[in-house]
Structure formats: C-alpha cells, structure tokens
Amino acid sequence: MAQIELSAIRKSFDGTDVLKGIDFHIADGEFISLVGPSGCGKSTLLRIIAGLEPQNSGEVHIDGRQVDGIRPSARNLAMVFQSYALYPHLSTFDNIAVPLRMRRLSAIERLPLLGALLPSRRAKERHIRADIEGIAEQLDITPLLRRKPGQLSGGQRQRVAVGRAMVREPLAFLFDEPLSNLDAKLRVHMRAELAELHSRLKATFVYVTHDQAEAMTMSSRIAVMMGGELIQAGTPAEIYNEPGDIRVAEFIGSPKINILPGRIRKDGGVDVLGTTLKLTCNAAAGDCRIGVRPERIELGTGPFSGTVVHLENLGAEAFVHLAVEGTGSRLIARLADVRHLPAMASPLAFGFASETVRMFDPAGKRIELRVEQAERVREPAHV
Amino acid sequence: MSNAHPVPFRAILRHVLLITGAALMLAPFIWMISTASKPQTEIFSSELHLIPHRFALMENLREAFAKANLLRFLLNGVIVTVSIFVLQVMVALPAAYALAKLRFLGRETLFALVLFGILIPPQATAIPVFLLLHKIGLLDSYAALVLPFTISVFGIFLMRQFFKTVPDDLVDAARMDGISEFGIVWRVMLPAAIPAVTAFGIFSVVAHWNDYFWPLIVLNSEHLRTPPLAVAHFRNNEAGTSYGPLMAAAMVIIAPLVIAFLFAQRRFIEGITLTGIK
Ligand SMILES: Nc1ncnc2c1ncn2[C@@H]1O[C@H](COP(=O)(O)OP(=O)(O)OP(=O)(O)O)[C@@H](O)[C@H]1O
Ligand SMILES: [Mg+2]
C-alpha cells in the first residue's frame, strides 16, 4: 500500500537533539519495528511520520510524495496510541465512525441536528454502518459496539483503537507501544493477532516498542534506535545474530548477551580471560569486547572455568549464572536440559565455539573475525 | 476516656460545629422567608418572632407581582445570564484549548496575563467600560449588560486547568481522524469537560443573576431591569418601603437559582472537585 522514505530527519526540543539525522526506507507492506530504550526518540520519529510533530530538517516521503507540511489526516495514515486515545464520551461504534464521518460527510451533514435530517447523510450513514459492522466482525467486537470506552477492558479498548485505525483503510498503520498497557498474557495473545492482521491486510506497519520480544516475533524488519540515531536495521535474525554495534547486541536478546573483556594481539589473535581464541582479526592491537549469546555457551567442557553463583530454572530451560575464575566477570549460560543442573557453588568448565563470538572495538563497533580453518567443522567442498 | 468513645464524641463535636455554621448561613435566608410571610403590621411590631401569627405570603406575592412586572424582570435575567454564559463559553473554550494544548511563542506570558486578569475586580474597570459603551452608544441595552462579561478570565483559567488533564494522545488521535482544531474544541474537549463547564456555568449564572452593581450603572429603562434591580425598586418607593412584598419578590428571584442548584447538585460538586476524565 505505501512505502515511507525518511531522509536526514532531525528534531530537537528546546535545544536538545532528540533525532540526529534519521535515514530510513520502509518498503511497501513491511512490518517494521522501531525498538530502543526509553527516551531514544521512537515516539518522536513516529509522530513526525504521522505529521503530528514537525521535524526541524529532513524530509518524509510517502509513496514518493513529499508530505512535510501536510496535515496528519491528509497523509492518510492511521495511528494506534499507547493509551488507545478513544473518545470517552462516544460509544465504540461512534469512536470507529469518527474518521469515516470526518471524511465522507460534508461539514453541513456533520451538523448535530440539522445534518441528521439530510437524506444524503442518511445514505452515507448506512454505508458507514456497514463498514463498521464489517470491521467489528473481523475484530470480534460486535457485542461491544454500544458500550463507552470506560466500560471496556484494556484488551477490548485496544481492539477498538485498532478498529478505528483500520476502518479508513489507511496507506500505513503507525503503532506506538499499543500493547504496553496490557498484562503479559494478553500481550502475547494480541501479538499474534496483530501479526495475523498484518498478513491479512498486507499494509505497511510501523510499530514502536521497547519490548524486544514483540519486535522479534512480529516484524519483518527491526530498526534499532539509540540516543536519537538509527544504528541498525535488518530482519530479526540479522539483528540477533549479526549485531553491528555492541548496544544492539546488548539490547536484543534476553537474557542479555555475555560481554567479556578481550585483547587483540599484534598478530591479530585474540585473548579472552587468559585463553587465546582460535580466530584472528585485522583490527589494530588493543582492548576489545567479546560477545557470546547465553545459548552458545557450552557447559562442562572448554578452556574456561567458573563457579555457579545462581540458577534460574524456568521449567523448559534454565539459566546458569557463572562467576569466571580469576576475574570479576560474570556470565549467563542457557541450559536446554533442566534435568542435569549443576550444583550451586560448584566449579564448572565452559567454552564456546569460535564462530559464535561477536567482537566489538572499545567504541562498540563490530570487528569482523576470521575463524581459523582448524576450527571449522565442515570444510568448504572444493571438489 | 476519649479511647472509649472516640468516634461519637468527635462526630458530635463536628456536627455541632457544622450545624452552627449552617444556621448562621441560613439565618438571613430564613428571616427573608419569615418576613415575606408576615403582614405589614407584624413586620414592624417590636417583638421578634419567626413564625407569623397571620400567614400573609400569598398577599405579599400578589402585591409584589402587581407592583412590578416581575415576570418580565425574570425573563430579562434569563436572557442576560444565558447570553453571558454562552458567549463566555464560546470565548473561553478555544482560548483555554490554545493555552493548554497548543505550542506557540508567548503562551506562558499570555497565561500569566490571564492569571493577572483574575486579580482585577470588575469595579476597577467599570468606568472605562462605561465610557466605551457610551461612545458606541450601547448604554441602556441588553448589549451593555452582556458584552463586558463575554471574556471571563476565570473561565479561561478554569477550563485551561481542566484541559491540561485531557491526555495529549486524545487530541492527536482527533487530528489523525481529520478533526480541525476548532472541531477538537467542540467535539472532543467540550464533551470531556462537561463537569467543568457546568461548574463554571453555575458560578457565572449565579454571579450575573445576582449582579446589582453593573445593571444599576448602565440601565435607565425599566423594561430592561434585571431581578436584583427590580427588588431594589420596592425599597425606593415614595410610599415607604414595603418589606413584605420586597421579601416576597426577593424569594421569587432567587427561586430559579435554588431550583437549578437542587437539580444540578451532583454535577455541581463533580465540577467543583474537577475529577476530570480517567
Ligand atoms: N513535546 C516535547 N517537548 C520536549 N521534549 C520532548 C517532547 N517530546 C519528547 N521529548 C523528549 O524527546 C526525547 C525522546 O522522546 P520520545 O517520546 O520520542 O522517546 P521514546 O523513544 O518514545 O521513549 P519511550 O520508550 O519512553 O516512549 C525524550 O528525551 C523526551 O524527553
Ligand atoms: Mg514513546
């Protein structure tokens, strides 16, 4: 339905830069999640796309048309707010009808008493009613159409807000943390519903969240924002496996990726916790940081040793917190088999495969690594 | 001791205090009803009694209605107070919306001026306003009674405080839905602010229904008189003040307010406490 092109968007509030030059292309029909810690400017960026907030510089194009200075409603986007923002004095039906009435009825037809008498209004109202009933059917809110927002539960309000967005068939949907006011169980349920809605409508979704689980499970691409900059965008797997920046690596993934201090030698080898890894890099000698995901840590064998300081058994999986011997470092390992948990305070050897290592320079940028051939499990076929 | 009956003792004390206060507040009111029910001879008798020996309310009322065109004055009161209130709302709501929800240069300064405006008593500006009305030839008309009060700084302040509690998201949602800024004021903010508008309406109507000062200054013609002026008229009779009919007329003119208050009591209290929307 629509592609959205952001170029060099900058925004400052009272002299502080909130967005520092965002360039981003959102393709037609994509489900983009904007994630990042609180205060990084996600909502501001969404509001700039919506037209609710003017940017200081930069351009927004929707379907190739520059929309800067165009009223929010004329951009033909729909937005679902964190607080749902339903009109408290209107019934569910009237709430969903507002965008349709504003578009389809003339100013005279909208007049409170006089308008209702016009025959043209009655014909249009019939269409509006039909449209709303269709939407209500899809969202399963038909029994709620006569209720006021105050009489709805959080999940129901959320659905009504989505209905109000859907009914006008916008070019794109903008969501600002729509699930964060729901309890955990309902959140998981609504996650599936929204993903399903996206595949049904095939519309462009821009979805702001600071919940990385939502971003990972629903989106076709994730854009990670930090401190007013968009630092990486890619599919959930790319963002998870190939983070370009240590902040991305740390933000995505739960529990957090393990970061260990390392050192790059002059010959390109890498030392971590007194052990030399079987990999090399081209970076200059000096300090670096090594990232290994908890599920990549193998317990029981390996060159490192630590002590179990804490155990978290979640039933299906367990997390083992280790204090690494001889250093202050702590790390977390995921254990898929909860039947064989190590004892508390017991010493434990551990290791990880070289190709699971992600390395970052002191500024946090990713450093490319070459895994030494000997480590490769499968040789590339030359024959 | 106080441990044994802490609640009853305190409750009794509280009620005694409250009842005393209420009695003090109500005393003139009750005296008015009492006087309105007495014949002229009893009013001027030297002994004080609350219950009249001969019940003369009907006579006094009849005389009040005969002496002055009370219905006309009541109608004047309605026309003036309703016009003032409607115009005040039409001015105060957009202004309050701008002060509460729009970002523009000088907003805080303007709001400070509004607060400053609350401090100025109407008597201070009475003479300039009087001269202005004289210059444009509006003295002695409904316009003279209504126009000076159309901009209520108190109303702007009250509504602005209330609008502050309306979530910004609601305003943004309305903008996304295509409602214009004025549309937002009337279709989104006004329905959300009904309790505050009601409270303001009660303040405004009571103040202008009972206003004696301003109508006295700008009016000459008898047919434009508002209720308080009409009552005062009984006092100035050459034939001497007839207190019975005077009090009966006073009862008549405050009756609409009392009845309105009884009906809107819940709303009134809601509005005063400004519970707002969730
Ligand atoms: N209207 C405003 N006036 C001044 N500063 C603002 C305004 N709106 C946002 N900011 C500031 O801009 C920064 C980014 O805000 P934004 O709401 O975009 O963050 P966010 O990423 O959505 O955070 P969250 O996850 O908490 O919603 C914050 O530091 C915030 O204080
Ligand atoms: Mg936000």
Side-chain angles (χ1 to χ4, degrees):
Chain A
M1 302 227 276
Q3 44 181 336
I4 300 171
E5 179 92 48
L6 304 173
S7 33
I9 302 286
R10 288 176 175 278
K11 176 76 187 174
S12 59
F13 285 113
D14 316 320
T16 45
D17 289 336
V18 171
L19 296 176
K20 302 166 184 164
I22 304 274
D23 291 289
F24 195 41
H25 177 85
I26 299 168
D28 189 11
E30 259 191 314
F31 192 136
I32 289 283
S33 289
L34 285 176
V35 301
S38 196
C40 70
K42 308 178 294 286
S43 298
T44 306
L45 185 61
L46 200 70
R47 291 166 55 79
I48 287 172
I49 297 176
L52 294 170
E53 196 84 65
Q55 66 270 34
N56 294 116
S57 67
E59 289 174 4
V60 181
H61 291 260
I62 297 173
D63 265 349
R65 185 171 69 118
Q66 191 179 343
V67 294
D68 308 309
I70 292 184
R71 279 184 297 123
S73 58
R75 298 187 182 195
N76 201 5
L77 307 172
M79 189 149 167
V80 177
F81 295 86
Q82 180 175 5
S83 58
Y84 316 131
L86 300 175
Y87 306 111
H89 59 290
L90 297 180
S91 67
T92 298
F93 180 91
D94 288 327
N95 261 285
I96 302 179
V98 168
L100 292 184
R101 292 199 175 125
M102 291 313 294
R103 285 174 147 221
R104 297 189 189 165
L105 304 184
S106 64
I108 296 174
E109 286 169 336
R110 280 201 304 268
L111 286 180
L113 293 171
L114 198 65
L117 299 173
L118 297 174
S120 60
R121 158 131 185 201
R122 272 190 245 141
K124 287 178 188 173
E125 280 288 342
R126 267 200 299 279
H127 275 119
I128 290 174
R129 174 164 291 277
D131 285 0
I132 292 173
E133 278 165 1
I135 295 283
E137 190 98 351
Q138 286 183 52
L139 292 171
D140 221 2
I141 51 174
T142 312
L144 311 178
L145 284 178
R146 290 162 161 276
R147 295 212 211 150
K148 295 263 173 79
Q151 302 164 309
L152 301 178
S153 73
Q156 289 168 336
R157 277 182 225 182
Q158 213 272 332
R159 254 178 262 209
V160 175
V162 170
R164 185 174 63 177
M166 271 169 71
V167 74
R168 48 195 286 200
E169 296 172 353
L171 291 172
F173 288 82
L174 310 175
F175 294 89
D176 194 353
E177 306 194 24
L179 304 186
S180 56
N181 284 347
L182 304 180
D183 65 57
K185 207 169 158 190
L186 194 56
R187 201 147 57 205
V188 174
H189 174 74
M190 291 306 292
R191 220 150 76 185
E193 273 195 14
L194 281 179
E196 193 192 316
L197 188 73
H198 175 250
S199 59
R200 189 146 39 91
L201 297 177
K202 300 192 171 49
T204 311
F205 277 36
V206 184
Y207 188 99
V208 165
T209 177
H210 58 238
D211 181 339
Q212 43 114 355
E214 282 174 22
M216 292 296 287
T217 51
M218 295 195 287
S219 25
S220 38
R221 272 200 305 156
I222 296 177
V224 186
M225 288 181 66
M226 298 265 169
E229 282 169 288
L230 203 159
I231 50 181
Q232 194 180 356
T235 63
E238 272 167 25
I239 295 283
Y240 187 79
N241 294 321
E242 306 297 339
D245 192 294
I246 195 164
R247 291 172 295 171
V248 177
E250 286 187 304
F251 187 75
I252 301 288
S254 173
K256 244 167 72 169
I257 191 168
N258 296 301
I259 301 291
L260 301 169
R263 197 160 174 80
I264 304 173
R265 292 197 314 253
K266 285 218 175 61
D267 62 0
V270 181
D271 291 338
V272 174
L273 303 175
T275 306
T276 304
L277 299 180
K278 293 192 177 106
L279 33 77
T280 55
C281 68
N282 287 335
D287 285 336
C288 67
R289 279 176 290 177
I290 300 293
V292 185
R293 294 273 178 208
E295 67 274 16
R296 299 296 186 186
I297 300 215
E298 294 152 18
L299 295 176
T301 56
F304 307 99
S305 59
T307 318
V308 179
V309 289
H310 184 54
L311 281 172
E312 290 173 311
N313 186 351
L314 303 180
E317 57 184 359
F319 296 107
V320 182
H321 295 235
L322 293 170
V324 182
E325 230 132 80
T327 65
S329 302
R330 289 273 196 114
L331 52 77
I332 301 177
R334 177 177 175 274
L335 204 56
D337 185 1
V338 295
R339 285 168 305 174
H340 304 289
L341 290 179
M344 277 291 281
S346 63
L348 199 58
F350 68 92
F352 40 82
S354 301
E355 71 266 19
T356 65
V357 170
R358 303 288 173 263
M359 197 162 83
F360 304 93
D361 68 16
K365 286 274 157 285
R366 176 85 176 269
I367 302 174
E368 284 308 318
L369 295 170
R370 277 190 314 278
V371 176
E372 284 172 14
Q373 294 297 316
E375 252 280 319
R376 281 277 165 92
V377 182
R378 268 185 297 143
E379 290 288 330
H382 288 300
V383 200
Chain B
M1 189 199 90
S2 66
N3 250 358
H5 305 285
V7 179
F9 177 70
R10 288 193 145 203
I12 289 166
L13 187 69
R14 199 159 52 223
H15 279 83
V16 167
L17 281 175
L18 287 175
I19 288 169
T20 316
L24 277 175
M25 298 284 174
L26 281 174
F29 194 77
I30 291 167
W31 196 248
M32 174 189 77
I33 296 176
S34 161
T35 310
S37 311
K38 290 176 185 171
Q40 189 81 349
T41 49
E42 277 186 50
I43 293 172
F44 288 113
S45 73
S46 52
E47 47 158 344
L48 279 181
H49 56 275
L50 202 59
I51 313 287
H53 301 308
R54 192 170 69 77
F55 201 70
L57 179 61
M58 274 307 156
E59 279 162 45
N60 283 333
L61 276 176
R62 208 173 304 127
E63 198 180 333
F65 274 94
K67 264 193 178 169
N69 192 353
L70 272 189
L71 285 181
R72 169 74 203 222
F73 299 145
L74 286 176
L75 180 70
N76 284 345
V78 171
I79 291 173
V80 169
T81 49
V82 169
S83 310
I84 288 178
F85 177 57
V86 168
L87 289 171
Q88 279 178 335
V89 166
M90 283 172 64
V91 173
L93 257 63
Y97 172 70
L99 288 173
K101 292 291 175 197
L102 301 183
R103 267 179 278 157
F104 56 90
L105 202 68
R107 183 177 77 167
E108 299 314 313
T109 317
L110 275 180
F111 183 57
L113 286 175
V114 167
L115 287 178
F116 183 65
I118 294 179
L119 302 179
I120 302 175
Q123 285 79 0
T125 53
I127 291 172
V129 173
F130 179 85
L131 291 176
L132 189 71
L133 289 170
H134 172 67
K135 280 261 152 55
I136 47 181
L138 283 179
L139 282 181
D140 201 22
S141 68
Y142 282 131
L145 292 174
V146 172
L147 284 183
F149 302 105
T150 48
I151 301 176
S152 161
V153 276
F154 174 67
I156 295 175
F157 170 73
L158 188 74
M159 297 317 296
R160 182 259 187 195
Q161 295 308 91
F162 193 84
F163 286 173
K164 275 272 175 202
T165 66
V166 175
D168 286 343
D169 278 357
L170 197 63
V171 176
D172 285 336
R175 289 188 183 133
M176 295 296 293
D177 285 345
I179 305 180
S180 67
E181 295 297 309
F182 270 104
I184 291 175
V185 173
W186 304 118
R187 290 163 166 271
V188 181
M189 303 305 261
L190 174 62
I194 285 295
V197 174
T198 315
F200 172 59
I202 288 165
F203 284 127
S204 163
V205 167
V206 168
H208 294 110
W209 182 270
N210 291 334
D211 189 17
Y212 179 64
F213 172 73
W214 188 250
L216 185 67
I217 290 183
V218 296
L219 288 188
N220 254 334
S221 322
E222 186 175 333
H223 70 277
L224 291 176
R225 274 185 194 151
T226 56
L229 276 188
V231 171
H233 180 69
F234 283 84
R235 207 167 43 103
N236 301 336
N237 255 345
E238 312 85 53
T241 305
S242 40
Y243 283 105
L246 171 75
M247 287 299 143
M251 266 176 68
V252 170
I253 69 153
I254 62 168
L257 292 187
V258 173
I259 292 167
F261 174 74
L262 290 180
F263 274 109
Q265 202 174 6
R266 277 261 308 282
R267 290 266 157 160
F268 181 62
I269 289 163
E270 264 170 31
I272 299 282
T273 47
L274 287 188
T275 40
I277 54 171
K278 252 205 332 168

